[in-house]
Amino acid sequence: MSYLILALFSYALGVTPSALLLNVRQGRLGRARLSRHYVPSSQRFTVAGLDFLKGVAATLIGLFVAGWGGACTAAVAVNAGGVFPPSVAATPGARTTGTAAGSLLILSPLLLLAGVVTFVLVLYFTQYLSLSTALSTVVVMILSFFIRPSWFILVVILLLGLGVLYLHRNSYARFMRGKEPVYPIRRWLR
């Protein structure tokens, strides 16, 4: 029973758009557009941070409530909530990269560190966000076989990684056509 309640709670947390959490924090609820496409560029890092915290919170609560099995259940549910909202009228599904990374912090911090280092290096040298996401996700998935978490954590990491890769497929197609925008991180670091 605790797994079912945990899964429902985590799913509900995942369904809650981070842009809504940001608007509540700022005291502006109204009828704001909550899709990631309508978040002002000045607030995108804040929304990404909130996505990350949703993954951390759900997975950590799952760990405390039901051990590693609960953490895995919560990680899958919170990411599923972000991708598959309960109704068509809800916010379109997110790409869940931040939420998956937050879950990974609890499931395997070393794998998250490897993914972040890969992401930053690839982003710095190529300046393509989609390529950075893809390569860091693949590195995490490959390294998960060598770091050897328990089998159910391995399954969850692979499932989340495949989900992230699948949800970014439009970005990869755009990259292959040469229409992926450059992310000017080198200019920002000067």
Side-chain angles (χ1 to χ4, degrees):
M1 186 66 165
S2 63
Y3 280 94
L4 179 61
I5 293 170
L6 179 63
L8 291 174
F9 169 78
S10 298
Y11 181 81
L13 184 60
V15 165
T16 307
S18 294
L20 174 67
L21 297 173
L22 182 65
N23 286 337
V24 168
R25 185 176 65 92
Q26 294 177 347
R28 303 179 286 140
L29 244 164
R31 294 183 47 87
R33 292 184 159 195
L34 301 175
S35 170
R36 63 180 154 69
H37 299 291
Y38 299 106
V39 175
S41 59
S42 63
Q43 296 179 341
R44 287 193 182 141
F45 286 115
T46 305
V47 170
L50 288 171
D51 281 342
F52 182 83
L53 289 176
K54 285 192 313 187
V56 169
T59 308
L60 193 58
I61 289 169
L63 180 62
F64 287 138
V65 168
W68 287 109
C72 290
T73 301
V76 170
V78 72
N79 283 282
V83 176
F84 305 111
S87 72
V88 178
T91 303
R95 293 188 185 169
T96 198
T97 308
T99 311
S103 295
L104 189 59
L105 176 65
I106 305 303
L107 296 175
S108 181
L110 188 58
L111 284 174
L112 178 65
L113 178 64
V116 168
V117 167
T118 304
F119 179 85
V120 169
L121 287 174
V122 173
L123 184 60
Y124 181 79
F125 288 111
T126 67
Q127 298 189 57
Y128 288 110
L129 199 56
S130 60
L131 185 61
S132 302
T133 302
L135 289 178
S136 63
T137 302
V138 169
V139 164
V140 166
M141 291 170 65
I142 291 171
L143 286 178
S144 67
F145 287 103
F146 297 104
I147 291 182
R148 298 294 223 174
S150 64
W151 69 270
F152 50 91
I153 293 177
L154 175 65
V155 169
V156 169
I157 290 170
L158 295 176
L159 184 65
L160 294 179
L162 289 172
V164 167
L165 292 174
Y166 178 76
L167 292 168
H168 281 82
R169 67 191 180 283
N170 293 336
S171 298
Y172 308 140
R174 210 173 35 243
F175 177 77
M176 296 304 284
R177 288 192 312 267
K179 298 190 186 248
E180 179 72 7
V182 172
Y183 200 76
I185 191 168
R186 287 187 226 151
R187 183 173 37 147
W188 294 345
L189 293 176
R190 290 183 193 169

